[in-house]
Amino acid sequence: MYEITENFVSRRIMDSIVLVPVGDMAARMNGMITLCDVGAQLWEMLMERPRDRGELISYIVEEYAIDEAVAAEDVDGLLQTALENGSLRVTTGRT
């Protein structure tokens, strides 16, 4: 399961979401992160609750009628980048 960290605040601007670092992250990172339309939709799903990789891939496959392998590659890229920049973390999904 993946969940959003408290390292960023997000704001929707048209079809994109902008992530702005806060707290200690703001001191370590100079700039913002802009998510494209697909990334923004996945981010909004993650704002609701932690999600697993499969849920995110299924959403992309259904929403955009693309091959599962292509969707998996896109989701994996987003998850990897988000884990590296500290905007997401892996969780057990328990509350």
Side-chain angles (χ1 to χ4, degrees):
M1 301 285 279
Y2 297 88
E3 71 179 354
I4 294 172
T5 68
E6 60 283 338
N7 295 329
F8 293 84
V9 295
S10 60
R11 295 292 179 261
R12 179 168 273 287
I13 300 174
M14 298 179 60
D15 290 337
S16 299
I17 288 185
V18 176
L19 305 179
V20 180
V22 295
D24 292 339
M25 184 60 74
R28 294 190 313 245
M29 181 180 179
N30 184 21
M32 299 179 289
I33 299 168
T34 303
L35 301 175
C36 67
D37 183 45
V38 175
Q41 290 175 353
L42 295 178
W43 189 263
E44 288 178 331
M45 289 177 66
L46 289 160
M47 287 175 62
E48 294 171 4
R49 63 178 173 80
R51 306 279 180 159
D52 66 33
R53 177 180 175 270
E55 287 179 275
L56 301 173
I57 292 169
S58 293
Y59 173 78
I60 298 299
V61 168
E62 292 174 25
E63 184 71 17
Y64 293 95
I66 63 171
D67 183 72
E68 187 172 340
V70 173
E73 187 176 320
D74 290 346
V75 168
D76 288 345
L78 174 74
L79 293 175
Q80 184 63 38
T81 299
L83 288 169
E84 289 172 1
N85 68 32
S87 58
L88 287 183
R89 68 177 152 239
V90 177
T91 182
T92 60
R94 297 182 189 139
T95 56

